[in-house]
Amino acid sequence: MRLTELADIVVPFAIRVACELRIADELAEGPRTVEEIARSVGADPRALLRLLRALTARGVFTEVEPGLFGHTALSEPLRDDHPLSMREAYPLIPADIQAWSRFDVSVRTGGSAFEYVHGQGYWEHMAERPEEAHRFDGTQRAATRLELRTILPAYDGWATIGSLVDAGGGNGAFLAGVLRRFRDTHGTLLDLPHVVAGADEVLRAEGVRDRCTVVGGSFFDEIPPGADAYLLKRVLYHWDDDQACTLLGNLRSAMRPDSRLLLLEPVAEPGDELNAGKLYDLILLTMAGGGLRSLQEIEALLDKTGLRLSRVVRTMMFPMMEIVPR
């Protein structure tokens, strides 16, 4: 039975459809009948009943009485208004699902199943499809909420950073969270032009736009110099060793002798212990052909690029590595 639960694909898709229909939002004021929910979300009542009953069997929602459904602790975070909302974390992106259907290609070859199926890399695909890119951005927003909650308290150096460059920082959600918490910090957001296109809205919503410069460009070309600290959050593992060395070398060139680099990403670790990195590693393999590195492998890259690992700060999600010029 345990193996059956682990191999199940029904519940993951059922959760994604529940998120797509925003069913959790419909129950924010209390339990509702399946007919009421179906009318609100535009679903077939009988099909929706079957969906909800399957999810209640896994503790997502509860059937208070026949045909009347309410929230559980697992379904509450699927609401849009939840402070740690995870609704956007589980999108239905057809291109991703098609790639997973050929995950065997990644395991056989070590390459990207996504590229095998679609004939182009993940980022190139997203750049050409704004709707899918918007859904992907939603997954990053959901992850960022958790990262801010776990990482900001874990690292004691945030308050000493006067200027912070977030290289590959997406739409600026994480940087905005840092600036909102630390009022004396000024930020620079660097990412590709189409990626930072939505940053202005994010930064203004958080009330930090006046303390942040947005730069549309590639960190493989140039990185704004002279900041107190530089941040790479879930970026380095997308690139092979040569590309990673180029990126780290560019960062080293931009850093002052007293600057620091904050590297936040999962690390490959042996043993049976479950951590998010071991699962995330398969996402990287399937979608981009990238992968996690061990701490020793990361240190080897740092050594090649004039950097050294100063300390590792453990968090409830991924470790943060504080890196300084050598």
Side-chain angles (χ1 to χ4, degrees), residues 215-236:
V215 178
S218 170
F219 45 47
F220 287 120
D221 295 331
E222 187 176 2
I223 295 174
D228 293 337
Y230 292 81
L231 175 68
L232 279 183
K233 182 175 72 70
R234 292 190 282 113
V235 168
L236 198 65

Side-chain angles (χ1 to χ4, degrees), residues 17-36:
V17 171
C19 291
E20 182 80 9
L21 297 178
R22 287 181 161 83
I23 291 173
D25 291 335
E26 297 297 322
L27 304 178
E29 302 301 322
R32 298 184 68 189
T33 67
V34 70
E35 289 81 8
E36 291 173 325

Side-chain angles (χ1 to χ4, degrees), residues 167-168 219-220 231-249 251 261-267 280 284 290-295 297-302 305 307 321 323:
F219 45 47
F220 287 120
L231 175 68
L232 279 183
K233 182 175 72 70
R234 292 190 282 113
V235 168
L236 198 65
Y237 54 39
H238 287 296
W239 308 103
D240 63 29
D241 285 357
D242 289 340
Q243 293 168 311
C245 282
T246 298
L247 172 53
L248 291 171
L251 284 162
L261 167 62
L262 305 177
L263 177 62
L264 173 67
E265 66 178 48
V267 173
Y280 203 86
L284 292 172
L292 303 189
R293 295 179 175 89
S294 67
L295 197 59
E297 289 171 325
I298 292 172
E299 287 187 284
L301 293 179
L302 297 176
T305 52
L307 297 164
M321 289 156 271
I323 295 160

Side-chain angles (χ1 to χ4, degrees), residues 266-288:
V267 173
E269 297 178 307
D272 295 349
E273 183 179 352
L274 175 63
N275 61 60
K278 291 178 178 178
L279 303 181
Y280 203 86
D281 201 16
L282 297 187
I283 298 176
L284 292 172
L285 174 61
T286 306
M287 298 302 164

Side-chain angles (χ1 to χ4, degrees), residues 9-309:
I9 64 169
V10 175
V11 173
F13 276 97
I15 290 174
R16 281 159 172 76
V17 171
C19 291
E20 182 80 9
L21 297 178
R22 287 181 161 83
I23 291 173
D25 291 335
E26 297 297 322
L27 304 178
E29 302 301 322
R32 298 184 68 189
T33 67
V34 70
E35 289 81 8
E36 291 173 325
I37 302 169
R39 282 196 299 271
S40 294
V41 304
D44 176 81
R46 290 179 61 83
L48 182 60
L49 176 64
R50 294 158 73 178
L51 171 74
L52 288 171
R53 282 182 170 164
L55 288 176
T56 62
R58 288 288 187 260
V60 184
F61 304 113
T62 180
E63 191 168 11
V64 180
E65 57 184 64
L68 183 69
F69 293 88
H71 271 303
T72 65
L74 282 180
S75 62
E76 286 281 2
L78 299 182
R79 290 166 40 192
D80 264 331
D81 63 350
H82 192 280
L84 288 177
S85 176
M86 296 296 288
R87 188 191 68 79
E88 292 183 301
Y90 310 114
L92 284 169
I93 301 178
D96 288 6
I97 296 166
Q98 291 160 6
W100 278 112
S101 72
R102 292 312 314 268
F103 177 46
D104 63 301
V105 172
S106 287
V107 177
R108 293 177 192 276
T109 68
S112 164
F114 189 97
E115 188 166 346
Y116 175 85
V117 170
H118 298 289
Q120 63 181 157
Y122 193 80
W123 307 119
E124 292 81 5
H125 178 94
M126 289 298 175
E128 296 174 1
R129 294 164 178 81
E131 183 179 347
E132 291 188 18
H134 178 72
R135 288 173 178 263
F136 173 80
D137 286 345
T139 68
Q140 301 309 292
R141 284 192 293 270
T144 294
R145 293 185 191 103
L146 297 180
E147 290 165 346
L148 287 168
R149 181 66 65 92
T150 58
I151 292 161
L152 291 190
Y155 179 60
D156 59 9
W158 293 113
T160 66
I161 298 173
S163 55
L164 175 65
V165 174
D166 189 352
N171 64 10
F174 187 86
L175 182 59
V178 175
L179 298 182
R180 187 181 67 241
R181 175 78 174 270
F182 300 97
R183 299 290 181 178
D184 294 329
T185 302
H186 290 256
T188 298
L189 175 67
L190 171 66
D191 214 316
L192 297 173
H194 77 274
V195 177
V196 299
D200 192 73
E201 180 182 352
V202 172
L203 297 168
R204 289 189 187 281
E206 296 294 340
V208 299
R209 184 63 182 89
D210 61 328
R211 289 188 286 124
C212 189
T213 301
V214 178
V215 178
S218 170
F219 45 47
F220 287 120
D221 295 331
E222 187 176 2
I223 295 174
D228 293 337
Y230 292 81
L231 175 68
L232 279 183
K233 182 175 72 70
R234 292 190 282 113
V235 168
L236 198 65
Y237 54 39
H238 287 296
W239 308 103
D240 63 29
D241 285 357
D242 289 340
Q243 293 168 311
C245 282
T246 298
L247 172 53
L248 291 171
N250 288 350
L251 284 162
R252 176 64 183 89
S253 297
M255 294 168 70
R256 306 190 313 255
D258 61 342
S259 297
R260 67 195 112 149
L261 167 62
L262 305 177
L263 177 62
L264 173 67
E265 66 178 48
V267 173
E269 297 178 307
D272 295 349
E273 183 179 352
L274 175 63
N275 61 60
K278 291 178 178 178
L279 303 181
Y280 203 86
D281 201 16
L282 297 187
I283 298 176
L284 292 172
L285 174 61
T286 306
M287 298 302 164
L292 303 189
R293 295 179 175 89
S294 67
L295 197 59
Q296 292 74 25
E297 289 171 325
I298 292 172
E299 287 187 284
L301 293 179
L302 297 176
D303 188 60
K304 291 178 181 178
T305 52
L307 297 164
R308 68 174 178 85
L309 181 63

